[in-house]
Amino acid sequence: MVDLRVTLGRLQLKNPVLVASGTFGYVREMAGFVHLERLGGVIPKTVTFRPRAGNPTPRTVETPSGLLNAIGLDNDGITHFREHHLPYLRTVGTAVIANIAGEDEDQFVAMAEMLGQEPGLAAVELNRLVRRVRGACPLPIIAKLTPNVNDIVPIAAAAAEAGADAVSLINTIKGMAVDWRRRRPILANDIGGLSGPAIKPVALRMVWEVARALPHLAIIGIGGIARASDALEFMVAGASAIQVGTATFYNPPASENLLDELTGLLGETGVTAAAEIIGTLRSNRP
Ligand SMILES: Cc1cc2nc3c(=O)[nH]c(=O)nc-3n(C[C@H](O)[C@H](O)[C@H](O)COP(=O)(O)O)c2cc1C
């Protein structure tokens, strides 16, 4: 038997397989496809302070090897989340990580304070780096970082310095799709965020750069992960856990299948604990 447990700062997971915010609904929608209690944890769609209608449609478009989306954080707000979703989420039998986004710092802090008082949450994932949240909330804090920057290392370093237990790398990469006959962008929002297999090399590079520069900061790898071999690439590059995102859209049980395959692959490799392989990648350069 392979020991799949992993630790990210103050957060302990039964295995490294998580599902990415915005790609797994509020979790109950997925209960018919995945044995939720088997996953390392679940991350419901981002919640904002007030309800948001999101962007006009079309909000998604398929591109070669990727999905472009501009949903615009469509959600019913934190009060609805606490009253309607949290009671269900407490029953799923695995770690629940709430993902929050504020329009300003005060909203982030207010939401983190509210969620810190709720039983049954394992951690909070912030859609942006926010310093004051650590003081406002006793739960482990994960900062989810945008890849739309020149150098990810100083951003991750700032998250570590602000007290984040872990960073999630990466969110979507800005892109666009064009209908040249209509002379219009396809998304109603013109530009959107690219996800899926197309972004995996960028995500791997960022995980590797952050892991090398900040060896004590826990990393959650995200970006085009669909199979166990993808997950293992991120783990050797330095990720202690991973999130399955877009793959769930084209293969709803992808996360659970990945977990089965991961156990098999680690066993074949002779590894007794998943944690043994984290950050074991070595450079080819002298
Ligand atoms: C349709 C869609 C909606 C998303 N919504 C959110 C969201 O609400 N909050 C968030 O933090 N990330 C959101 N993401 C980003 C994913 O969580 C993830 O970071 C990104 O898609 C990269 O992983 P992937 O290539 O495995 O999909 C969304 C992605 C997609 C495709």
Side-chain angles (χ1 to χ4, degrees), residues 20-23 45-46 60 67 69 71 73 99 125 127 144 170-172 194-197 199 222-225 243-247 249:
S21 182
T23 64
K45 180 159 178 67
T46 295
T60 58
L67 177 69
N69 91 83
I71 307 291
L73 300 184
N99 178 303
E125 186 178 59
N127 223 281
K144 183 166 179 176
I170 58 175
N171 212 317
T172 54
L194 185 64
S195 63
I199 73 168
I222 325 170
I225 296 174
Q243 296 179 16
V244 177
T246 299
F249 288 128

Side-chain angles (χ1 to χ4, degrees), residues 142-260:
I142 303 164
K144 183 166 179 176
L145 303 183
T146 172
N148 301 310
V149 295
N150 251 335
D151 186 356
I152 195 73
V153 170
I155 318 273
E161 199 254 317
D165 291 83
V167 288
S168 290
L169 292 170
I170 58 175
N171 212 317
T172 54
I173 301 178
K174 273 188 200 174
M176 79 186 293
V178 168
D179 181 343
W180 70 268
R181 290 181 197 280
R182 290 175 52 240
R183 275 90 162 161
R184 290 289 193 102
I186 295 173
L187 293 173
N189 190 54
D190 294 348
I191 67 165
L194 185 64
S195 63
I199 73 168
K200 194 181 91 173
V202 178
L204 274 172
R205 187 262 297 174
M206 289 190 167
V207 166
W208 160 249
E209 285 176 343
V210 171
R212 297 227 298 178
L214 305 163
H216 300 297
L217 178 63
I219 301 171
I220 303 176
I222 325 170
I225 296 174
R227 313 200 41 168
S229 55
D230 301 320
L232 288 166
E233 290 168 25
F234 276 88
M235 290 178 74
V236 296
S240 298
I242 57 92
Q243 296 179 16
V244 177
T246 299
T248 294
F249 288 128
Y250 58 84
N251 179 25
S255 48
E256 190 175 357
N257 295 346
L258 186 154
L259 176 61
D260 289 331

